[in-house]
Amino acid sequence: MNTTAPSESATEKSYTPSAEVIANAHVDAAKYDKMYAASVNDPDAFWGEQGKRIDWIKPYTQVKDVDFNLGSVKINWFADGTLNVSANCIDRHLETRGDQTAIIFEPDDPNEAAQHISYSELHRRTCRMANILESMGVGKGDRVIIYLPMIPEAAYAMLACARIGAIHSIVFAGFSPDALAARINGSDAKVVITADEAPRGGRKTALKSNADAALLHCKDSVKCLVVKRTGGQTTWVDGRDFDYNAMALEADDYSKPAEMNAEDPLFVLYTSGSTGQPKGVVHSTGGYLVYAALTHELVFDYHDGDVYWCTADVGWVTGHSYIVYGPLANGATTLMFEGVPTYPDASRFWQVCDKHKVNQFYTAPTALRALMGQGNEWVEKCDLSSLRILGTVGEPINPEAWNWYNDIVGKGRCPIVDTWWQTETGGHMMTPLPGAHALKPGSAQKPFFGVHPVVLDPQSGEEIEGNDVEGVLAIKDSWPGQMRTVWGDHDRFEKTYFSDYKGYYFSGDGCRRDADGDYWITGRVDDVINVSGHRMGTAEVESALVAHPKVAEAAVVGYPHDIKGQGIYCYVTLMNGVESSDELTKELRTWVRTEIGPIASPDVIQWAPGLPKTRSGKIMRRILRKIAENDYGSLGDTSTLADPSVVDDLIANRAG
Ligand code: WTA
């Protein structure tokens, strides 16, 4: 029986959660309204209470101490409290759930045995890693780079750093040696933790040789701790390289958690902005953990005993907050997957869900669209009855992918939480809650507790009141998970986020608040195009294109157009087995005109067998814009793409 029933709300079709979902949920509609009002009306009282969900060594007496004014930006939460994140994620669970599985590790190769790591085992492993790091000279406040595959050692390394008060900075294993070197140097790290090789999709990346290449550009004092994953050959530099597996055999099983201030940095994570080199986003210890834990529990409606799976990589913020810190602070069972959605075939995600009886599944729209293009049979041959909640993150989800997720994966039973947030925000900012909101495909809908979104007029910077309005998205007041600064460059932090719109945190995204007061993210404002004086979200055109049954994926950018100012350039990937033709070009043009309106009519449609994506699955629009602009000289660095050769193909077949 279908338990989520579609109904028409004021503006869009919406899906009301079933009575069963509502009855089981931590938060229903009435509770959401009450808690939300309390959270924004009296943040000190609200967060003062929520802060108690984690263990403090010295309890805080202050809650919020924040200034969003350019020139004096400061963000402090629970500032006089002390705690240890590793103790919160492990030690405090030992008495009640020492034997419970903390981490399920599912390797790249489905024939390799999965591992179930209990909280006691996690404690032992983390303590040993902490002792190894200390023996290598790492102490409080020192930086450690983690460049590892999606293996349990990545979690041990994060928690070991947190345990001794070192600041970790994870570099996604898909990054090149140059990118790695920049981050080692940028954070002035003492140690790099890596592995011999990273298996992914049946292939292996030589991580240690990448690290070797990177370390040629770093200070001689930087040491390298090497985890054995495949046993593949590595070159060894005596005195610099340390053998994790050998040292772990000798290391002590206990390490005392360091007493950290709530505002001490927990980690630095490099992320790209619209200008300049990637910046080091700094997150705190106390506020970050409170926020990651609370959002994980309420947004995924996590209950004791559930098996939770987030398919992100720990190299991205989603992996930090929603594979490691949030779930483990809550004593959850969290699944770490080393592989990719399509290896050995397109049913891998669903097979893993069945194998481990996953209850909450959290992934990115791009993965869903790719899998949707492969056909329903890959999903339908799996059972998937364990699934209860589905989630998405990373980009606006088009209604077609949403519907496919809802109908084919969730069988109409599982609420979908479309979570809007950013590396900078530390945790979810806007999302429906499973038992509280009727879902609208493609909308992030409601602010999380304590989040005060505002829609600003991009020109005047004034708040736009009322509903059925559109503008840029800013946040009016702080929340505990907010980034504190840019590593080594507080000025850049202030300029990037607090200078365009005075007194607000500016998200860089555009958004719409519909007639019901629900929020729709329209994409980065740098992706907004202006066609004949009409402002348009490229996501809108993409959504229209992928609604066509023959289209698997589409990316749309603006390009200079003599008459219109900007024209609409569309890269279109067709469904498997569909042939491109001039007829189809015309058909798609007409389709988009009818879906959105004549102003959205594509000027150029280029067939794209593949789109340039980062290894985390984000489409690199910058490259697509350059190709659309016929400007190949300044494509920039394409080495971080999952498949750099797609760029050559797009250039060779450029349309128009
Ligand atoms: C986009 C990922 C629409 C947005 C956690 C944001 C989204 C950027 C959504 C941050 C969503 C993320 N709907 N857009 N549910 N989630 N975004 O730092 O443009 O990798 O600014 O953090 O992704 O990306 P980041």
Side-chain angles (χ1 to χ4, degrees), residues 49-57 59-60 78 82-85 87-89 92-93 262 285-294 325-326 328-330:
E49 196 53 36
Q50 293 301 330
K52 295 179 191 158
R53 65 179 295 123
I54 62 171
D55 285 356
W56 297 82
I57 297 170
Y60 49 86
F78 313 112
T82 65
L83 73 161
N84 183 278
V85 166
N88 267 288
C89 289
R92 69 171 176 149
H93 305 310
T285 293
Y288 170 81
L289 193 68
V290 169
Y291 200 73
L294 183 69
Y325 290 119
L328 295 177
N330 290 334

Side-chain angles (χ1 to χ4, degrees), residues 271-272 316-318 362 365 392-397 417-425 430 442 444 507-509 520-524 618:
T271 191
S272 318
W316 314 115
V317 73
T318 308
Y362 188 35
T392 78
V393 57
E395 50 179 322
I397 181 167
V417 289
D418 178 352
T419 61
W420 172 79
W421 61 296
Q422 310 177 297
T423 304
E424 293 89 338
T425 69
M430 294 213 266
S507 70
D509 280 310
W520 299 70
I521 308 299
T522 51
R524 299 294 300 195
K618 262 211 171 83

Side-chain angles (χ1 to χ4, degrees), residues 25-38 298 433 436 449:
H26 291 302
V27 180
D28 62 14
K31 190 167 173 194
Y32 171 83
D33 290 344
K34 200 167 148 226
M35 276 177 78
Y36 182 73
L298 300 188
L433 295 185
F449 303 125

Side-chain angles (χ1 to χ4, degrees), residues 6 117 171 183 223 248 379 413 425:
I117 297 131
V171 178
R183 286 156 178 77
K223 293 175 179 157
V379 191
R413 293 185 299 107
T425 69

